[in-house]
Amino acid sequence: MSMEQIQPADLQHNSGAWVAFTKLSFALAFGATLIGIWLMPVDLWIRGYLVMGIIYTVGSSFSLAKTLRDEHESAKLLNRITNAKTAKILRQYDAE
């Protein structure tokens, strides 16, 4: 697909403020959770286990979000291809 075929409605734009807010929110939540784990009155091995769980959960969340976004983008492209094929068939039919 060339750049000429991409329509402005196909592009999603987030404001700089929204991007900054989401990054800051993530950093604060992750940091506060780690601080909370560090300050818990438990043994070091329990803290380590909780930190490993948090890191695994965050990594899995990123993977899930990326996979869902990729599936959504793939479905959008497939729909555009199907619509283009249908439009081509209709144009050929109208030309006859």
Side-chain angles (χ1 to χ4, degrees):
M1 176 182 307
S2 67
M3 289 302 292
E4 294 82 29
Q5 294 172 327
I6 297 175
Q7 302 298 320
D10 296 332
L11 303 175
Q12 180 179 349
H13 299 283
N14 291 317
S15 69
W18 176 252
V19 172
F21 171 76
T22 57
K23 288 179 179 180
L24 182 63
S25 294
F26 172 78
L28 287 174
F30 191 70
T33 302
L34 290 178
I35 290 170
I37 290 171
W38 181 254
L39 296 177
M40 288 178 111
V42 294
D43 292 334
L44 184 60
W45 73 269
I46 294 174
R47 285 190 199 122
Y49 179 80
L50 292 173
V51 168
M52 285 183 357
I54 288 297
I55 290 171
Y56 181 73
T57 300
V58 169
S60 297
S61 297
F62 281 122
S63 297
L64 175 62
K66 182 188 179 316
T67 300
L68 293 176
R69 185 200 63 213
D70 290 348
E71 286 181 351
H72 176 73
E73 291 296 320
S74 176
K76 280 178 34 178
L77 178 60
L78 183 61
N79 287 337
R80 288 186 62 182
I81 291 170
T82 302
N83 290 342
K85 286 180 181 179
T86 303
K88 181 180 178 183
I89 292 169
L90 289 174
R91 280 193 306 272
Q92 289 173 348
Y93 178 78
D94 287 342
E96 294 175 1

